[in-house]
Amino acid sequence: MKKLILYSISLLLLVSCAKNKTPEGILDEDKMVELLVDIHMAEGLVSTFPIHYDSSKVLYPLFEKEIFEKHQVPDSVFRKSLEYYMRDARIMDRLYARTIDSLHVIEKSGNQ
């Protein structure tokens, strides 16, 4: 009986550990945060330009393309990863909490 309980607990632990792994083709959380920080920085920058909305819609994709090149991540992988993480609100909440924290650090370091 003890062996059965021990085996069951071991199996449960293995299954739960495997469940936390990011599937192949999906960016890990750290890389997603890096990309989200840069994307939000680019959005903020474009929004400060004294140009019309139509012009900013043309300009922003150029910034976005540079971000993906900087991180060596295709935009399709980013979008697929974003869709994957958006399936779980807790994960997205954690990702955006980290993104906001990083943006606050950048803001404070820029103000000093």
Side-chain angles (χ1 to χ4, degrees):
M1 185 65 171
K2 288 181 183 180
K3 286 185 179 182
L4 180 61
I5 292 173
L6 186 60
Y7 177 73
S8 298
I9 291 173
S10 298
L11 183 62
L12 181 63
L13 287 173
L14 286 174
V15 170
S16 66
C17 289
K19 190 177 181 182
N20 292 333
K21 289 193 177 187
T22 307
E24 188 174 326
I26 301 297
L27 299 172
D28 64 31
E29 289 187 25
D30 292 337
K31 192 66 166 179
M32 278 299 292
V33 169
E34 290 175 18
L35 280 160
L36 289 169
V37 166
D38 285 347
I39 286 171
H40 285 290
M41 294 283 291
E43 287 174 348
L45 181 62
V46 170
S47 72
T48 64
F49 292 158
I51 56 176
H52 293 287
Y53 177 72
D54 292 343
S55 298
S56 67
K57 283 178 54 176
V58 172
L59 189 59
Y60 175 73
L62 300 175
F63 281 94
E64 191 177 56
K65 182 180 176 194
E66 284 186 32
I67 292 167
F68 294 135
E69 287 174 0
K70 171 186 168 186
H71 291 278
Q72 299 176 344
V73 173
D75 62 340
S76 60
V77 171
F78 172 75
R79 292 185 201 321
K80 182 179 174 184
S81 300
L82 188 60
E83 289 172 5
Y84 169 79
Y85 286 120
M86 287 180 71
R87 292 181 191 144
D88 189 334
R90 289 179 297 172
I91 293 174
M92 278 308 294
D93 188 44
R94 183 174 61 235
L95 287 175
Y96 265 97
R98 290 178 58 195
T99 301
I100 290 167
D101 288 345
S102 297
L103 289 168
H104 282 283
V105 168
I106 292 168
E107 181 182 36
K108 286 183 180 182
S109 68
N111 289 337
Q112 295 176 355

